[in-house]
Amino acid sequence: VQEKRSIAQSDLMWMWMTCIQNETDTSKDEVYMYYCKKFLMRTVKVGEKMERIYMTTSKLNTEQMTEFLNKIQADAAAELGIRLPLPEDRFFEQFYSHFNY
């Protein structure tokens, strides 16, 4: 059984959303929904109709959440020029103190 995403993963994601919000003037909730749509989209069949839906992170396990965070980190760097640190990164403590509220 996979464990549900961790509190630490969720906290890190919201710090990243706040950072992206500050850099792009897009609300962190909208940034979150953007990434859910971009990376958690799938197609489901409802009766005879095919519909595109996306999940939110509350349904992800720790492994899926890690994959989601990795995709956000890569996308923010490539598309927005924003470097999002991981807890083991050298300057994470400074990032944490700035964006953890």
Side-chain angles (χ1 to χ4, degrees):
V1 173
Q2 289 283 339
E3 288 190 33
K4 191 175 183 303
R5 70 172 185 183
S6 70
I7 304 271
Q9 286 177 314
S10 185
D11 288 350
L12 177 63
M13 179 192 69
W14 285 110
M15 278 190 281
W16 285 2
M17 297 300 113
T18 302
C19 175
I20 294 168
Q21 170 183 272
N22 290 359
E23 295 293 322
T24 64
D25 288 329
T26 303
S27 81
K28 65 183 174 186
D29 292 328
E30 289 171 340
V31 173
Y32 171 72
M33 296 311 290
Y34 167 79
Y35 280 121
C36 286
K37 186 175 180 184
K38 186 167 187 170
F39 298 127
L40 300 177
M41 180 79 68
R42 60 194 173 110
T43 303
V44 297
K45 186 175 182 185
V46 181
E48 296 302 313
K49 291 178 99 179
M50 298 301 286
E51 290 291 329
R52 290 179 55 78
I53 63 166
Y54 60 92
M55 298 186 335
T56 60
T57 59
S58 63
K59 303 289 185 207
L60 300 182
N61 62 38
T62 52
E63 188 178 314
Q64 293 166 324
M65 188 67 174
T66 296
E67 188 177 314
F68 181 65
L69 290 171
N70 289 342
K71 288 178 179 178
I72 292 171
Q73 189 181 40
D75 186 80
E79 300 296 324
L80 304 172
I82 299 171
R83 183 163 179 228
L84 300 171
L86 293 170
E88 58 270 17
D89 290 346
R90 186 165 44 85
F91 62 94
F92 183 78
E93 198 171 299
Q94 181 182 357
F95 178 87
Y96 179 85
S97 63
H98 187 76
F99 290 107
N100 186 39
Y101 35 78

